[in-house]
Amino acid sequence: MRALPPGARGFILCAVLAAAACVTPALTDSGTPWAAVVLLAVLYLACELVRICPLLGSRVPEGLGSFFPVVLAAVFLLPPAAAALVALPGGLAGTVAQRPVRVRRVWHGAQQAMAAWAAGQVYGLLGGPAALAAGPPATGSGPPAGFPYLLLPAAGAAVTFCLVLAALDGGILAVAERRPAATALRGLPALAPYCVHGLAGLMMAVMWRSPYGLPAALLVLLPMYVSCWVFAQYHREHAAHRATIRALVQAVDIKDRYTRGHSERVGQASAMIARELGMTGARLETVRIAGILHDVGKLGVPTRLLRKDGPLTPQERRIIELHPEYGHEMVRGIDFLGEARCAILHHHERVDGSGYPYGLTGEQIPVLARVVAVADAFDAMTSTRSYSRARPVPTALAELERCAGAQFDPAMVRALTGAIGRHGWHPVVTSDEDLQVISGPAPAGPLPGPGAPAPAPRAGASEDGPGGSGTPGRSPQDRSPADGGSGPMQPTRGAR
C-alpha cells in the first residue's frame, strides 16, 4: 500500500465521506452533550498519544487497540453520531509505521468513526440506552432494563465494532493489493479481545452513570493500563523470539558463507505463498519463521563438508542429508515455533515419496513443509552463487511448474506464481562487503556473466533444489536448465 492505486484512493475517499456523514448529525444537533463528547474525545486522544505507561514504566505496544474501551464507553453513553465524533481524534493521531502516513491516519480516523457509529446504532436497536438508565424502554417494549440484560446490547455493539473494522480492512486490502475478497476477509480479527474491550467500556459507562460519577469512571483506566503492561510483556517476549531466530540464522550464514541471506529470502517467499493460500495472523508468521529456520540443521553438519571443494562422496552426502533431523532436534524444545518444527524436519520430502528423511508422499507431508520446499527451491534457482549465476524469475517458476506433482505440491507452486505475478519478487540483498566481513573473502574469480557458462559446482552445490537427490558434483550439462545446464534436474546448493 506504499503506492496507493486509484481504486484504493477511491475506497478511502468513500470512507472519509461516509465518516463525515456519520458525525455531521452531532455537529448540527443542538442536543449533543458536548461536555461528555469533548471529555471522552480528549481522553481517547491522550491514551493514543501516550507511549509510556507512567505507573508501570512499560512501553505500550503499537497497533493493539489498547484503548478501544474509551470509544466503546462513548458508544454506550452517547448518541451514535457523537460516539463517532469521539473516535475521530484518537484515530487520526494513532501511530502509523508505513507510508503514506497522512493517508493512513485519515483512513484510521474514518474507519473508527464508522465503526463507532455502526456500534451505536446496534446498541440503540437492542435497547441499550434504556437498559443502562435502569428504567423500562420508552416504548414499553423491548428487552428488560438493567443487568444482566445490558450485556446483550453491549456485546452486540462490541461485535459490530469489530466486524466493521474488519470489513473495512478487508475492503482496502482487496482494492489496494488486488487480493480476492474472500482471501482479504479471512483476516477477520478474533472477537474475544473486542468483547473484553466492550466489557471495560461498559464498566466505564456504568460507573459514569452511577452516583459516583466521572471520577469513578476514570478508575477504569487503571485496569486498562494493567492490560497495556500485559501487552508490553507479550511484545517483549516476541522480541526475544525474534532475537533467538536472528541469532540462529546468523550462525548458519557464518558457517555456510555461500548461502548468506538464503534463509531470509526463503522466509519471504514462504510468507508470499502462505498469504496467497489465505493464511493470516499467527500461522502466517509461523510459515515465515519455518522458511527462515529451515536450514538451521546445517549447524550440526561438519563445516569441512559445507565448504568442501571437490565432489561429495556418498557417505558425505548421507551426512548432509541429516541436516533436517539435526535442525528438528535443535528446535524441538522451542515451544513458540509450533508447526515450524515439522517444516524444518520435512522440507526435503517430495510429493512422489523420493525425498528425505522419511520418504513421505503427498498429503503425508505437512502443509508448511510443502510451502517451504517450493520457496527453498525458488530461491536456490534465483540466487547468484560462486558456482552458478542466478536464473530469471520466469525460468525458475517454469522449472517449479515442470516439477509440480512429482517434487512439489502443485497448489504451492501456483500460489507462488500468483503472488509473484501480483507483487513481483524483491528479495533482501546482502552486500558482498558484508559477506566478506562475516564469512571471510569470497572465492577468487568473477561470477559468471549473462552469457558465460556456469562453472562446475563445488561440493556444496549438491543440494536438493529442483531435481531432488541426484548425484552430487555433476557437470553443468547434467543439471537442470535453471541451474546452468540442460540435462535432467539435479540438486542445487541453496536447497540442501
Side-chain angles (χ1 to χ4, degrees):
M1 277 179 55
R2 288 178 182 249
L4 291 175
R9 295 178 184 177
F11 191 88
I12 292 174
L13 178 60
C14 291
V16 170
L17 294 176
C22 290
V23 303
T24 297
L27 299 175
T28 58
D29 187 359
S30 58
T32 299
W34 283 107
V37 169
V38 172
L39 181 59
L40 286 169
V42 170
L43 182 60
Y44 181 47
L45 176 61
C47 289
E48 286 297 319
L49 291 177
V50 169
R51 285 296 173 261
I52 300 294
C53 294
L55 298 178
L56 302 175
S58 297
R59 183 172 178 82
V60 178
E62 298 172 357
L64 294 175
S66 304
F67 303 110
F68 280 156
V70 177
V71 178
L72 290 169
V75 169
F76 302 144
L77 290 166
L78 304 173
L85 196 58
V86 167
L88 269 179
L92 292 171
T95 302
V96 176
Q98 298 179 347
R99 298 179 180 178
V101 173
R102 292 181 180 177
V103 173
R104 286 177 181 270
R105 283 182 173 169
V106 170
W107 163 252
H108 289 160
Q111 184 184 30
Q112 292 186 27
M114 286 189 287
W117 180 86
Q121 294 291 340
V122 171
Y123 182 70
L125 290 175
L126 295 177
L132 181 61
T139 61
S141 62
F147 282 99
Y149 307 106
L150 182 56
L151 295 176
L152 176 62
V159 170
T160 301
F161 187 81
C162 170
L163 293 179
V164 171
L165 289 178
L168 291 171
D169 278 336
I172 193 65
L173 287 175
V175 298
E177 299 185 5
R178 299 178 183 176
R179 297 188 192 179
T183 301
L185 292 176
R186 285 179 188 173
L188 288 175
L191 291 176
Y194 285 88
C195 290
V196 173
H197 292 161
L199 182 60
L202 182 60
M203 290 170 56
M204 194 171 181
V206 169
M207 296 299 291
W208 188 304
R209 289 291 181 88
S210 74
Y212 301 101
L214 177 61
L218 294 179
L219 290 177
V220 179
L221 292 176
L222 180 59
M224 290 171 57
Y225 271 95
V226 172
S227 174
C228 288
W229 180 82
V230 173
F231 278 124
Q233 301 310 307
Y234 178 80
H235 182 73
R236 286 196 183 97
E237 182 180 358
H238 273 257
H241 293 171
R242 290 193 295 270
T244 300
I245 294 168
R246 187 163 54 248
L248 289 171
V249 170
Q250 288 175 346
V252 174
D253 286 346
I254 290 172
K255 185 165 187 175
D256 189 3
R257 61 176 177 260
Y258 296 106
T259 56
R260 177 164 170 76
H262 170 66
S263 299
E264 289 85 350
R265 293 192 298 270
V266 172
Q268 180 182 343
S270 297
M272 292 176 68
I273 296 172
R275 285 194 196 94
E276 195 72 12
L277 295 174
M279 298 183 193
T280 57
R283 195 150 197 243
L284 175 61
E285 180 65 10
T286 300
V287 174
R288 189 183 70 83
I289 292 173
I292 291 174
L293 293 180
H294 74 286
D295 270 345
V296 69
K298 286 182 177 179
L299 294 175
V301 176
T303 305
R304 63 180 178 81
L305 297 185
L306 295 176
R307 300 186 180 184
K308 183 179 178 183
D309 289 330
L312 294 174
T313 67
Q315 182 179 4
E316 290 171 336
R317 175 70 183 181
R318 285 193 292 271
I319 294 174
I320 291 287
E321 290 181 353
L322 290 174
H323 81 272
E325 295 175 273
Y326 290 157
H328 183 259
E329 287 299 316
M330 289 176 185
V331 302
R332 68 183 304 174
I334 305 179
D335 292 336
F336 73 85
L337 292 180
E339 284 185 277
R341 290 172 290 187
C342 291
I344 292 170
L345 178 61
H346 296 295
H347 72 278
H348 280 305
E349 305 283 3
R350 296 172 50 137
V351 295
D352 62 4
S354 62
Y356 63 89
Y358 300 128
L360 302 182
T361 62
E363 296 296 325
Q364 294 177 338
I365 306 172
V367 173
L368 269 60
R370 284 179 265 154
V371 170
V372 173
V374 171
D376 187 17
F378 173 75
D379 182 68
M381 290 188 287
T382 56
S383 300
T384 295
R385 307 292 167 82
S386 62
Y387 47 82
S388 66
R389 65 182 183 272
R391 300 296 94 186
V393 169
T395 301
L397 293 176
E399 194 80 331
L400 292 173
E401 291 173 1
R402 186 171 76 86
C403 296
Q407 183 171 353
F408 306 114
D409 186 331
M412 308 307 172
V413 175
R414 287 194 299 269
L416 179 62
T417 302
I420 291 177
R422 267 189 289 275
H423 307 294
W425 175 239
H426 308 288
V428 177
V429 178
T430 303
S431 68
D432 294 336
E433 290 79 7
D434 290 341
L435 178 62
Q436 293 180 16
V437 169
I438 296 296
S439 305
L447 293 176
R458 300 167 58 94
S462 54
E463 304 196 11
D464 281 345
S469 53
T471 305
R474 287 194 177 185
S475 65
Q477 288 76 20
D478 290 331
R479 288 150 57 207
S480 75
D483 290 326
S486 57
M489 295 178 56
Q490 294 299 326
T492 60
R493 177 179 181 85
R496 175 159 58 204

